[in-house]
Amino acid sequence: LEKDDFGTTALLYAAKYGEIAMEDYLLSRYSKHVSLLEKDNEGATALLCAAYNGQIAIVDHLLSRYPNQVSLSEKNINGNSI
C-alpha cells in the first residue's frame, strides 16, 4: 500500500481513527503487502497510532486478533512506546 507524505498508510489511518472493519479488510485483502510493524515517518506502528489516539477498541482488537503480528516493545523516533 502507498504512503502519504508523512509515511502513513491506509492501515495506520484506520488504526488512528478506530476503523476496525477497514483494518481487518486491509489485513485480509492485502496480507502480503501490509504489516502491523510498518512505521510512519515518526516511527509509529498501527498499534502505537491507535494507542496515541485513544482508540482502545483498536488496541484490544489488534492484541487479541493479531497477537503474533504486533509488538508491545516497538518505539517511535522519540523512544515512546505503549
Side-chain angles (χ1 to χ4, degrees), residues 3-24:
K3 292 183 173 191
D4 65 12
D5 292 340
F6 304 103
T8 307
T9 63
L11 181 67
L12 294 174
Y13 278 115
K16 180 178 181 177
Y17 294 108
E19 299 292 333
I20 292 175
M22 177 57 74
E23 194 167 72
D24 277 342

Side-chain angles (χ1 to χ4, degrees), residues 34-78:
V34 174
S35 169
L36 286 170
L37 296 177
E38 187 169 5
K39 297 179 177 187
D40 66 12
N41 293 350
E42 294 185 1
T45 62
L47 187 62
L48 290 174
C49 282
Y52 293 162
N53 289 284
Q55 300 296 344
I56 303 306
I58 290 281
V59 171
D60 289 342
H61 180 74
L62 291 174
L63 292 174
S64 64
R65 181 134 187 207
Y66 305 101
N68 297 324
Q69 297 178 40
V70 295
S71 172
L72 295 175
S73 62
E74 289 292 323
K75 295 180 179 183
N76 70 6
I77 60 173
N78 298 317

